[in-house]
Amino acid sequence: MNRSKTFPFGGIRVDSFRSLTENRGVQSLSLPSLAVVPLVQYHGARATWVVAVGESIREEQLLAKGLGPGDLDVHSPTPGILQEFREVPVPGGGVSSAALIRLDGSFNRTGRDVPVRDWSGWSPAELLEHIRSCGVYLESSTLDKAVRLPEASVGLDDLVINGLQPEPYLTLALALLDERSAALAEGIEILRKIYSPLHTLLVTDRDDTSPWQAVSAISLPGVELVSLEYKFPQAQAGLLAKTLSTGPRCLIIDVNGVLSVRDAVVEGRPQIERTVVLSGQGARHPGTYRVRIGTPLFQFLKDAGGIKPNSEKIVVGGPFQGRLADNLASPIVKSTQAVLVLAKSEVNTGVSRACIRCGSCVKSCPVGLEPLNLYKLLRQDNVVQARNDGLDFCIGCGICSFVCPSRLPLVETFQRVQEETSRG
């Protein structure tokens, strides 16, 4: 398989900000006394409640059933009493119906020894069914959309485990590679049994010197290790596939997703918690935290040490593709990768001015678009011509807005129109 250092066009090299969370391990936070569990756990989520107000809820109990193929089930992060259903704000904007569960009763798993299951005799279809029944969310590289696992009969040319740092500050993969390398190896083997890929690759950043690499060749037999240059947005699925020259049947899953697959199969664990990076110079204790889904952002920030005075912005996700956290009552959901508390020095602010036609947005676009021309067309409400000129190929990486000296809201405009178009 041919290799290249990175994707061929555009992109930018930026500080990784790994030093903020380096060598801190993964810490577990306390359980929420009131879990706020939304139906909308990721973009496009569709589910319906199967529980009622006043019901006594068990830890890991099914709360909502996905409505169609690819829609994920939602499980309770804690035992308790379902007090009410309420419309709540969710990360990324909008509102969702949410179950409010007051902590009460005994735990099925937390604090108990849970036996592991021998999956070696299960068929690929049985393995897939166990994964799907646990509501496992697999990260997409496009905002907070989910990756849907194909049927077992599809087979794969390439199974790619994405261990790259996707954006500055987002060091989750690095922490998990160090802490759970053995579990990752088992998760990879489960996926290999399901799909029988011709090639399996674990892709990491070239400048990652984590100790797990010293034993990876032993713990991952049959898995090719590939190190790539740290460049944004190299972790984006389409660009990564191009860099690796993968075959047409390719499945790319991030490290956290592989571990969730492993936990669902080996321990029968529904996805009721997230490992979340807290970073930025405004956070008192940046690090990687294991937190229950349904924990409000304000409680997450408090339990993780709080924020420094005069912090400028709180962002859910990365600095390029994340969304401003305008309501700290929003809960942690399955698609929450990171929470950034940014100081003024970390925020790229300024007043929008007229374009100076410097060409920076064109030079930096990793998919070869001309952002300025698309922006002008959309300002003229000419959506049809903008789509003809490639609007639908925009991956929402945010580079064009970042490099624009005139501070034009380029990617924000593209995303707004794309979302409006997708809603019909």
Side-chain angles (χ1 to χ4, degrees):
M1 195 179 287
N2 295 326
R3 294 285 181 268
S4 60
K5 288 185 178 181
T6 186
F7 51 94
F9 306 109
I12 55 175
R13 292 168 176 81
V14 288
D15 191 338
S16 68
F17 290 96
R18 290 178 195 166
S19 60
L20 290 174
T21 54
E22 206 166 26
N23 302 320
R24 294 179 182 266
V26 179
Q27 306 170 60
S28 294
L29 296 182
S30 58
L31 303 179
S33 57
L34 182 68
V36 182
V37 187
L39 278 178
V40 178
Q41 296 277 326
Y42 54 93
H43 183 76
R46 300 179 305 160
T48 185
W49 299 114
V50 295
V51 288
V53 172
E55 188 173 335
S56 180
I57 303 295
R58 304 182 310 278
E59 181 185 26
E60 301 182 351
Q61 179 177 333
L62 181 67
L63 298 177
K65 188 72 178 171
L67 289 177
D71 292 322
L72 301 181
D73 295 344
V74 180
H75 300 79
S76 180
T78 63
I81 304 299
L82 202 167
Q83 290 196 330
E84 63 174 303
F85 294 112
R86 181 188 298 175
E87 295 290 306
V88 300
V90 291
V95 296
S96 168
S97 172
L100 275 61
I101 302 172
R102 177 70 64 182
L103 182 63
D104 185 61
S106 59
F107 290 85
N108 294 345
R109 181 185 301 273
T110 302
R112 300 173 182 267
D113 291 329
V114 178
V116 298
R117 305 190 293 189
D118 179 11
W119 52 270
S120 59
W122 294 354
S123 69
E126 289 172 326
L127 290 170
L128 261 183
E129 179 55 34
H130 282 289
I131 296 167
R132 289 170 175 167
S133 68
C134 288
V136 172
Y137 173 82
L138 301 175
E139 216 84 61
S140 168
S141 55
T142 305
L143 295 179
D144 61 349
K145 294 181 181 178
V147 172
R148 180 183 175 187
L149 287 175
E151 296 301 322
S153 58
V154 169
L156 295 175
D157 296 311
D158 300 286
L159 171 63
V160 178
I161 311 306
N162 187 351
L164 298 170
Q165 181 176 338
E167 293 190 51
Y169 302 97
L170 303 194
T171 55
L172 178 60
L174 302 181
L176 293 177
L177 283 167
D178 278 345
E179 185 187 71
R180 303 194 65 195
S181 57
L184 177 69
E186 188 169 20
I188 293 173
E189 286 308 304
I190 291 168
L191 289 166
R192 292 176 73 183
K193 179 169 183 179
I194 294 173
Y195 294 112
S196 301
L198 299 179
H199 308 97
T200 304
L201 300 89
L202 172 58
V203 186
T204 60
D205 294 298
R206 181 162 294 163
D207 56 351
D208 176 16
T209 57
S210 303
W212 72 270
Q213 294 201 16
V215 297
S216 58
I218 299 173
S219 61
L220 298 172
V223 178
E224 181 181 354
L225 303 180
V226 180
S227 295
L228 297 179
E229 179 182 343
Y230 176 65
K231 179 182 176 184
F232 179 72
Q234 178 64 88
Q236 197 273 340
L239 297 176
L240 183 55
K242 184 177 293 186
T243 299
L244 299 173
S245 301
T246 60
R249 298 177 303 165
C250 174
L251 177 63
I252 299 176
I253 301 181
D254 74 318
V255 167
N256 188 63
V258 176
L259 290 170
S260 296
V261 165
R262 181 265 173 199
D263 293 344
V265 170
V266 177
E267 300 178 13
R269 182 189 298 176
Q271 196 162 23
I272 62 169
E273 63 183 13
R274 253 313 305 215
T275 309
V276 178
V277 172
L278 173 65
S279 194
Q281 295 177 11
R284 291 191 183 277
H285 298 293
T288 308
Y289 296 93
R290 191 170 290 112
V291 59
R292 291 295 167 101
I293 288 167
T295 302
L297 287 176
F298 68 81
Q299 182 177 339
F300 168 74
L301 291 168
K302 177 185 175 184
D303 293 347
I307 65 177
K308 298 176 183 177
N310 303 318
S311 297
E312 186 77 6
K313 281 186 179 181
I314 298 176
V315 175
V316 177
F320 287 99
Q321 296 182 289
R323 301 289 181 90
L324 188 66
D326 51 7
N327 192 323
L328 295 183
S330 296
I332 299 291
V333 294
K334 293 184 182 185
S335 57
T336 307
Q337 301 180 58
V339 179
L340 307 183
V341 184
L342 302 177
K344 190 171 184 178
S345 61
E346 299 172 287
V347 177
N348 189 16
T349 59
V351 178
S352 293
R353 304 186 304 270
C355 172
I356 62 173
R357 304 198 66 82
C358 65
S360 296
C361 61
V362 177
K363 294 174 185 175
S364 300
C365 180
V367 291
L369 301 178
E370 295 187 3
L372 173 60
N373 291 338
L374 294 177
Y375 179 70
K376 288 174 62 178
L377 289 168
L378 295 177
R379 293 271 291 179
Q380 298 165 1
D381 293 325
N382 194 345
V383 177
V384 173
Q385 187 58 50
R387 297 187 71 181
N388 290 338
D389 288 355
L391 175 64
D392 295 339
F393 292 99
C394 173
I395 61 175
C397 66
I399 289 178
C400 54
S401 291
F402 178 78
V403 300
C404 178
S406 297
R407 300 292 184 263
L408 295 176
L410 299 169
V411 71
E412 296 87 346
T413 302
F414 304 156
Q415 289 176 346
R416 174 180 56 77
V417 174
Q418 286 175 325
E419 290 172 1
E420 290 172 355
T421 303
S422 66
R423 290 195 295 265

